[in-house]
PDB file of all heavy atoms in Angstrom:
ATOM      1  N   VAL A  41     -11.835  -5.939  -3.972  1.00 85.00           N
ATOM      2  CA  VAL A  41     -12.259  -5.141  -5.125  1.00 85.00           C
ATOM      3  C   VAL A  41     -13.343  -5.801  -5.960  1.00 85.00           C
ATOM      4  O   VAL A  41     -13.910  -5.231  -6.835  1.00 85.00           O
ATOM      5  CB  VAL A  41     -11.065  -4.868  -6.016  1.00 85.00           C
ATOM      6  CG1 VAL A  41     -10.614  -6.115  -6.786  1.00 85.00           C
ATOM      7  CG2 VAL A  41     -11.267  -3.682  -6.908  1.00 85.00           C
ATOM      8  N   ARG A  42     -13.856  -6.964  -5.542  1.00 85.00           N
ATOM      9  CA  ARG A  42     -14.896  -7.724  -6.264  1.00 85.00           C
ATOM     10  C   ARG A  42     -16.104  -6.860  -6.467  1.00 85.00           C
ATOM     11  O   ARG A  42     -16.645  -6.781  -7.572  1.00 85.00           O
ATOM     12  CB  ARG A  42     -15.261  -8.969  -5.529  1.00 85.00           C
ATOM     13  CG  ARG A  42     -16.186  -9.871  -6.308  1.00 85.00           C
ATOM     14  CD  ARG A  42     -16.449 -11.200  -5.542  1.00 85.00           C
ATOM     15  NE  ARG A  42     -17.075 -12.164  -6.445  1.00 85.00           N
ATOM     16  CZ  ARG A  42     -18.342 -12.177  -6.707  1.00 85.00           C
ATOM     17  NH1 ARG A  42     -19.192 -11.261  -6.248  1.00 85.00           N
ATOM     18  NH2 ARG A  42     -18.814 -13.146  -7.515  1.00 85.00           N
ATOM     19  N   HIS A  43     -16.593  -6.096  -5.463  1.00 87.00           N
ATOM     20  CA  HIS A  43     -17.744  -5.235  -5.618  1.00 87.00           C
ATOM     21  C   HIS A  43     -17.549  -4.149  -6.617  1.00 87.00           C
ATOM     22  O   HIS A  43     -18.471  -3.737  -7.320  1.00 87.00           O
ATOM     23  CB  HIS A  43     -18.253  -4.661  -4.213  1.00 87.00           C
ATOM     24  CG  HIS A  43     -17.407  -3.517  -3.770  1.00 87.00           C
ATOM     25  ND1 HIS A  43     -16.168  -3.707  -3.190  1.00 87.00           N
ATOM     26  CD2 HIS A  43     -17.602  -2.163  -3.808  1.00 87.00           C
ATOM     27  CE1 HIS A  43     -15.650  -2.497  -2.906  1.00 87.00           C
ATOM     28  NE2 HIS A  43     -16.544  -1.586  -3.234  1.00 87.00           N
ATOM     29  N   VAL A  44     -16.295  -3.629  -6.711  1.00 90.00           N
ATOM     30  CA  VAL A  44     -15.973  -2.605  -7.646  1.00 90.00           C
ATOM     31  C   VAL A  44     -16.124  -3.156  -9.074  1.00 90.00           C
ATOM     32  O   VAL A  44     -16.696  -2.529  -9.923  1.00 90.00           O
ATOM     33  CB  VAL A  44     -14.569  -2.076  -7.378  1.00 90.00           C
ATOM     34  CG1 VAL A  44     -14.118  -1.129  -8.450  1.00 90.00           C
ATOM     35  CG2 VAL A  44     -14.446  -1.439  -5.982  1.00 90.00           C
ATOM     36  N   LEU A  45     -15.483  -4.338  -9.353  1.00 91.00           N
ATOM     37  CA  LEU A  45     -15.580  -4.927 -10.655  1.00 91.00           C
ATOM     38  C   LEU A  45     -17.052  -5.218 -11.055  1.00 91.00           C
ATOM     39  O   LEU A  45     -17.469  -4.998 -12.225  1.00 91.00           O
ATOM     40  CB  LEU A  45     -14.727  -6.204 -10.699  1.00 91.00           C
ATOM     41  CG  LEU A  45     -13.248  -5.970 -10.472  1.00 91.00           C
ATOM     42  CD1 LEU A  45     -12.506  -7.355 -10.531  1.00 91.00           C
ATOM     43  CD2 LEU A  45     -12.666  -4.960 -11.423  1.00 91.00           C
ATOM     44  N   ASP A  46     -17.818  -5.736 -10.095  1.00 90.00           N
ATOM     45  CA  ASP A  46     -19.228  -5.965 -10.403  1.00 90.00           C
ATOM     46  C   ASP A  46     -19.957  -4.710 -10.785  1.00 90.00           C
ATOM     47  O   ASP A  46     -20.703  -4.709 -11.696  1.00 90.00           O
ATOM     48  CB  ASP A  46     -19.869  -6.672  -9.208  1.00 90.00           C
ATOM     49  CG  ASP A  46     -21.325  -7.130  -9.462  1.00 90.00           C
ATOM     50  OD1 ASP A  46     -21.597  -7.523 -10.616  1.00 90.00           O
ATOM     51  OD2 ASP A  46     -22.109  -7.116  -8.569  1.00 90.00           O
ATOM     52  N   ALA A  47     -19.772  -3.613 -10.087  1.00 92.00           N
ATOM     53  CA  ALA A  47     -20.408  -2.360 -10.350  1.00 92.00           C
ATOM     54  C   ALA A  47     -19.965  -1.788 -11.741  1.00 92.00           C
ATOM     55  O   ALA A  47     -20.750  -1.301 -12.505  1.00 92.00           O
ATOM     56  CB  ALA A  47     -20.111  -1.357  -9.257  1.00 92.00           C
ATOM     57  N   LEU A  48     -18.664  -1.905 -12.005  1.00 93.00           N
ATOM     58  CA  LEU A  48     -18.139  -1.374 -13.314  1.00 93.00           C
ATOM     59  C   LEU A  48     -18.748  -2.191 -14.461  1.00 93.00           C
ATOM     60  O   LEU A  48     -19.095  -1.626 -15.460  1.00 93.00           O
ATOM     61  CB  LEU A  48     -16.608  -1.483 -13.349  1.00 93.00           C
ATOM     62  CG  LEU A  48     -15.890  -0.443 -12.423  1.00 93.00           C
ATOM     63  CD1 LEU A  48     -14.410  -0.797 -12.414  1.00 93.00           C
ATOM     64  CD2 LEU A  48     -16.125   1.005 -12.888  1.00 93.00           C
ATOM     65  N   TRP A  49     -18.805  -3.503 -14.290  1.00 91.00           N
ATOM     66  CA  TRP A  49     -19.425  -4.370 -15.331  1.00 91.00           C
ATOM     67  C   TRP A  49     -20.904  -3.992 -15.555  1.00 91.00           C
ATOM     68  O   TRP A  49     -21.349  -3.762 -16.647  1.00 91.00           O
ATOM     69  CB  TRP A  49     -19.350  -5.781 -14.929  1.00 91.00           C
ATOM     70  CG  TRP A  49     -20.182  -6.776 -15.680  1.00 91.00           C
ATOM     71  CD1 TRP A  49     -21.453  -7.196 -15.388  1.00 91.00           C
ATOM     72  CD2 TRP A  49     -19.880  -7.367 -16.919  1.00 91.00           C
ATOM     73  NE1 TRP A  49     -21.975  -8.069 -16.367  1.00 91.00           N
ATOM     74  CE2 TRP A  49     -20.985  -8.154 -17.288  1.00 91.00           C
ATOM     75  CE3 TRP A  49     -18.744  -7.378 -17.771  1.00 91.00           C
ATOM     76  CZ2 TRP A  49     -21.028  -8.960 -18.467  1.00 91.00           C
ATOM     77  CZ3 TRP A  49     -18.800  -8.147 -18.923  1.00 91.00           C
ATOM     78  CH2 TRP A  49     -19.941  -8.932 -19.283  1.00 91.00           C
ATOM     79  N   THR A  50     -21.654  -3.869 -14.473  1.00 89.00           N
ATOM     80  CA  THR A  50     -23.036  -3.516 -14.542  1.00 89.00           C
ATOM     81  C   THR A  50     -23.280  -2.182 -15.237  1.00 89.00           C
ATOM     82  O   THR A  50     -24.160  -2.044 -16.136  1.00 89.00           O
ATOM     83  CB  THR A  50     -23.713  -3.484 -13.127  1.00 89.00           C
ATOM     84  OG1 THR A  50     -23.541  -4.807 -12.594  1.00 89.00           O
ATOM     85  CG2 THR A  50     -25.216  -3.139 -13.198  1.00 89.00           C
ATOM     86  N   ALA A  51     -22.492  -1.152 -14.838  1.00 92.00           N
ATOM     87  CA  ALA A  51     -22.638   0.174 -15.396  1.00 92.00           C
ATOM     88  C   ALA A  51     -22.094   0.356 -16.826  1.00 92.00           C
ATOM     89  O   ALA A  51     -22.429   1.333 -17.571  1.00 92.00           O
ATOM     90  CB  ALA A  51     -21.994   1.214 -14.490  1.00 92.00           C
ATOM     91  N   SER A  52     -21.255  -0.599 -17.315  1.00 92.00           N
ATOM     92  CA  SER A  52     -20.635  -0.475 -18.592  1.00 92.00           C
ATOM     93  C   SER A  52     -21.170  -1.506 -19.614  1.00 92.00           C
ATOM     94  O   SER A  52     -22.026  -1.165 -20.397  1.00 92.00           O
ATOM     95  CB  SER A  52     -19.102  -0.517 -18.494  1.00 92.00           C
ATOM     96  OG  SER A  52     -18.714  -1.758 -18.004  1.00 92.00           O
ATOM     97  N   VAL A  53     -20.730  -2.693 -19.504  1.00 88.00           N
ATOM     98  CA  VAL A  53     -21.102  -3.763 -20.434  1.00 88.00           C
ATOM     99  C   VAL A  53     -22.606  -3.997 -20.396  1.00 88.00           C
ATOM    100  O   VAL A  53     -23.266  -3.976 -21.405  1.00 88.00           O
ATOM    101  CB  VAL A  53     -20.296  -5.003 -20.184  1.00 88.00           C
ATOM    102  CG1 VAL A  53     -20.659  -6.123 -21.190  1.00 88.00           C
ATOM    103  CG2 VAL A  53     -18.794  -4.756 -20.283  1.00 88.00           C
ATOM    104  N   GLU A  54     -23.121  -4.304 -19.228  1.00 87.00           N
ATOM    105  CA  GLU A  54     -24.523  -4.663 -19.161  1.00 87.00           C
ATOM    106  C   GLU A  54     -25.444  -3.484 -19.501  1.00 87.00           C
ATOM    107  O   GLU A  54     -26.462  -3.679 -20.178  1.00 87.00           O
ATOM    108  CB  GLU A  54     -24.890  -5.145 -17.706  1.00 87.00           C
ATOM    109  CG  GLU A  54     -24.560  -6.554 -17.452  1.00 87.00           C
ATOM    110  CD  GLU A  54     -25.112  -7.077 -16.101  1.00 87.00           C
ATOM    111  OE1 GLU A  54     -25.735  -6.296 -15.357  1.00 87.00           O
ATOM    112  OE2 GLU A  54     -24.950  -8.285 -15.891  1.00 87.00           O
ATOM    113  N   ALA A  55     -25.129  -2.313 -19.181  1.00 89.00           N
ATOM    114  CA  ALA A  55     -25.870  -1.099 -19.463  1.00 89.00           C
ATOM    115  C   ALA A  55     -25.927  -0.758 -20.941  1.00 89.00           C
ATOM    116  O   ALA A  55     -26.763  -0.058 -21.405  1.00 89.00           O
ATOM    117  CB  ALA A  55     -25.471   0.082 -18.624  1.00 89.00           C
ATOM    118  N   SER A  56     -24.891  -1.285 -21.698  1.00 86.00           N
ATOM    119  CA  SER A  56     -24.736  -0.897 -23.079  1.00 86.00           C
ATOM    120  C   SER A  56     -25.468  -1.855 -24.071  1.00 86.00           C
ATOM    121  O   SER A  56     -25.343  -1.718 -25.283  1.00 86.00           O
ATOM    122  CB  SER A  56     -23.323  -0.738 -23.442  1.00 86.00           C
ATOM    123  OG  SER A  56     -22.700  -1.994 -23.427  1.00 86.00           O
ATOM    124  N   THR A  57     -26.120  -2.898 -23.556  1.00 83.00           N
ATOM    125  CA  THR A  57     -26.697  -3.882 -24.405  1.00 83.00           C
ATOM    126  C   THR A  57     -27.993  -4.456 -23.799  1.00 83.00           C
ATOM    127  O   THR A  57     -28.214  -4.387 -22.593  1.00 83.00           O
ATOM    128  CB  THR A  57     -25.720  -4.999 -24.694  1.00 83.00           C
ATOM    129  OG1 THR A  57     -26.274  -5.960 -25.637  1.00 83.00           O
ATOM    130  CG2 THR A  57     -25.330  -5.752 -23.417  1.00 83.00           C
ATOM    131  N   ASP A  58     -28.766  -5.086 -24.612  1.00 77.00           N
ATOM    132  CA  ASP A  58     -29.991  -5.821 -24.159  1.00 77.00           C
ATOM    133  C   ASP A  58     -29.681  -7.290 -23.917  1.00 77.00           C
ATOM    134  O   ASP A  58     -30.549  -8.039 -23.476  1.00 77.00           O
ATOM    135  CB  ASP A  58     -31.120  -5.693 -25.152  1.00 77.00           C
ATOM    136  CG  ASP A  58     -31.626  -4.289 -25.210  1.00 77.00           C
ATOM    137  OD1 ASP A  58     -31.581  -3.570 -24.170  1.00 77.00           O
ATOM    138  OD2 ASP A  58     -32.146  -3.835 -26.287  1.00 77.00           O
ATOM    139  N   GLU A  59     -28.463  -7.656 -24.233  1.00 79.00           N
ATOM    140  CA  GLU A  59     -28.043  -9.078 -24.069  1.00 79.00           C
ATOM    141  C   GLU A  59     -28.083  -9.537 -22.626  1.00 79.00           C
ATOM    142  O   GLU A  59     -27.855  -8.767 -21.738  1.00 79.00           O
ATOM    143  CB  GLU A  59     -26.555  -9.237 -24.649  1.00 79.00           C
ATOM    144  CG  GLU A  59     -26.100 -10.603 -24.646  1.00 79.00           C
ATOM    145  CD  GLU A  59     -24.673 -10.709 -25.246  1.00 79.00           C
ATOM    146  OE1 GLU A  59     -24.232  -9.769 -25.955  1.00 79.00           O
ATOM    147  OE2 GLU A  59     -23.997 -11.672 -24.978  1.00 79.00           O
ATOM    148  N   GLU A  60     -28.456 -10.779 -22.428  1.00 80.00           N
ATOM    149  CA  GLU A  60     -28.511 -11.394 -21.110  1.00 80.00           C
ATOM    150  C   GLU A  60     -27.192 -12.035 -20.832  1.00 80.00           C
ATOM    151  O   GLU A  60     -26.579 -12.646 -21.660  1.00 80.00           O
ATOM    152  CB  GLU A  60     -29.624 -12.424 -21.034  1.00 80.00           C
ATOM    153  CG  GLU A  60     -31.005 -11.900 -21.151  1.00 80.00           C
ATOM    154  CD  GLU A  60     -31.425 -11.010 -19.966  1.00 80.00           C
ATOM    155  OE1 GLU A  60     -31.064 -11.401 -18.822  1.00 80.00           O
ATOM    156  OE2 GLU A  60     -32.088 -10.037 -20.161  1.00 80.00           O
ATOM    157  N   PHE A  61     -26.723 -11.823 -19.578  1.00 78.00           N
ATOM    158  CA  PHE A  61     -25.474 -12.388 -19.183  1.00 78.00           C
ATOM    159  C   PHE A  61     -25.629 -13.298 -17.948  1.00 78.00           C
ATOM    160  O   PHE A  61     -26.480 -13.012 -17.158  1.00 78.00           O
ATOM    161  CB  PHE A  61     -24.379 -11.284 -18.804  1.00 78.00           C
ATOM    162  CG  PHE A  61     -24.018 -10.431 -19.971  1.00 78.00           C
ATOM    163  CD1 PHE A  61     -24.638  -9.184 -20.194  1.00 78.00           C
ATOM    164  CD2 PHE A  61     -23.054 -10.806 -20.872  1.00 78.00           C
ATOM    165  CE1 PHE A  61     -24.289  -8.359 -21.190  1.00 78.00           C
ATOM    166  CE2 PHE A  61     -22.689  -9.998 -21.913  1.00 78.00           C
ATOM    167  CZ  PHE A  61     -23.323  -8.826 -22.130  1.00 78.00           C
ATOM    168  N   ALA A  62     -24.781 -14.244 -17.800  1.00 76.00           N
ATOM    169  CA  ALA A  62     -24.752 -15.026 -16.539  1.00 76.00           C
ATOM    170  C   ALA A  62     -24.275 -14.201 -15.469  1.00 76.00           C
ATOM    171  O   ALA A  62     -23.561 -13.204 -15.662  1.00 76.00           O
ATOM    172  CB  ALA A  62     -23.803 -16.252 -16.800  1.00 76.00           C
ATOM    173  N   ALA A  63     -24.680 -14.512 -14.244  1.00 73.00           N
ATOM    174  CA  ALA A  63     -24.459 -13.686 -13.068  1.00 73.00           C
ATOM    175  C   ALA A  63     -22.957 -13.431 -12.878  1.00 73.00           C
ATOM    176  O   ALA A  63     -22.550 -12.426 -12.408  1.00 73.00           O
ATOM    177  CB  ALA A  63     -25.093 -14.288 -11.810  1.00 73.00           C
ATOM    178  N   ASP A  64     -22.123 -14.418 -13.220  1.00 77.00           N
ATOM    179  CA  ASP A  64     -20.751 -14.290 -12.971  1.00 77.00           C
ATOM    180  C   ASP A  64     -19.879 -14.042 -14.242  1.00 77.00           C
ATOM    181  O   ASP A  64     -18.719 -14.279 -14.348  1.00 77.00           O
ATOM    182  CB  ASP A  64     -20.124 -15.529 -12.269  1.00 77.00           C
ATOM    183  CG  ASP A  64     -20.324 -16.779 -13.068  1.00 77.00           C
ATOM    184  OD1 ASP A  64     -21.009 -16.802 -14.127  1.00 77.00           O
ATOM    185  OD2 ASP A  64     -19.662 -17.783 -12.713  1.00 77.00           O
ATOM    186  N   GLU A  65     -20.569 -13.624 -15.282  1.00 78.00           N
ATOM    187  CA  GLU A  65     -19.937 -13.447 -16.650  1.00 78.00           C
ATOM    188  C   GLU A  65     -18.709 -12.612 -16.542  1.00 78.00           C
ATOM    189  O   GLU A  65     -17.631 -12.879 -17.137  1.00 78.00           O
ATOM    190  CB  GLU A  65     -20.972 -12.804 -17.618  1.00 78.00           C
ATOM    191  CG  GLU A  65     -20.361 -12.636 -19.018  1.00 78.00           C
ATOM    192  CD  GLU A  65     -20.368 -13.926 -19.870  1.00 78.00           C
ATOM    193  OE1 GLU A  65     -21.128 -14.805 -19.478  1.00 78.00           O
ATOM    194  OE2 GLU A  65     -19.617 -13.930 -20.830  1.00 78.00           O
ATOM    195  N   TRP A  66     -18.778 -11.481 -15.867  1.00 82.00           N
ATOM    196  CA  TRP A  66     -17.671 -10.517 -15.713  1.00 82.00           C
ATOM    197  C   TRP A  66     -16.419 -11.138 -15.162  1.00 82.00           C
ATOM    198  O   TRP A  66     -15.359 -10.728 -15.390  1.00 82.00           O
ATOM    199  CB  TRP A  66     -18.124  -9.277 -15.002  1.00 82.00           C
ATOM    200  CG  TRP A  66     -18.404  -9.544 -13.524  1.00 82.00           C
ATOM    201  CD1 TRP A  66     -19.709  -9.735 -13.067  1.00 82.00           C
ATOM    202  CD2 TRP A  66     -17.566  -9.498 -12.415  1.00 82.00           C
ATOM    203  NE1 TRP A  66     -19.687  -9.888 -11.702  1.00 82.00           N
ATOM    204  CE2 TRP A  66     -18.388  -9.788 -11.271  1.00 82.00           C
ATOM    205  CE3 TRP A  66     -16.215  -9.294 -12.234  1.00 82.00           C
ATOM    206  CZ2 TRP A  66     -17.825  -9.830 -10.057  1.00 82.00           C
ATOM    207  CZ3 TRP A  66     -15.686  -9.439 -11.004  1.00 82.00           C
ATOM    208  CH2 TRP A  66     -16.479  -9.649  -9.874  1.00 82.00           C
ATOM    209  N   GLU A  67     -16.573 -12.245 -14.331  1.00 83.00           N
ATOM    210  CA  GLU A  67     -15.387 -12.802 -13.670  1.00 83.00           C
ATOM    211  C   GLU A  67     -14.701 -13.777 -14.519  1.00 83.00           C
ATOM    212  O   GLU A  67     -13.493 -13.999 -14.351  1.00 83.00           O
ATOM    213  CB  GLU A  67     -15.911 -13.499 -12.413  1.00 83.00           C
ATOM    214  CG  GLU A  67     -16.435 -12.688 -11.345  1.00 83.00           C
ATOM    215  CD  GLU A  67     -16.896 -13.438 -10.101  1.00 83.00           C
ATOM    216  OE1 GLU A  67     -17.992 -13.960 -10.198  1.00 83.00           O
ATOM    217  OE2 GLU A  67     -16.142 -13.458  -9.143  1.00 83.00           O
TER     218      GLU A  67
END
Side-chain angles (χ1 to χ4, degrees):
V41 74
R42 188 176 194 279
H43 78 282
V44 172
L45 298 179
D46 186 33
L48 290 172
W49 167 266
T50 301
S52 60
V53 178
E54 279 189 355
S56 68
T57 184
D58 292 331
E59 186 177 340
E60 294 291 323
F61 295 99
D64 64 346
E65 182 79 20
W66 63 268
E67 293 179 283

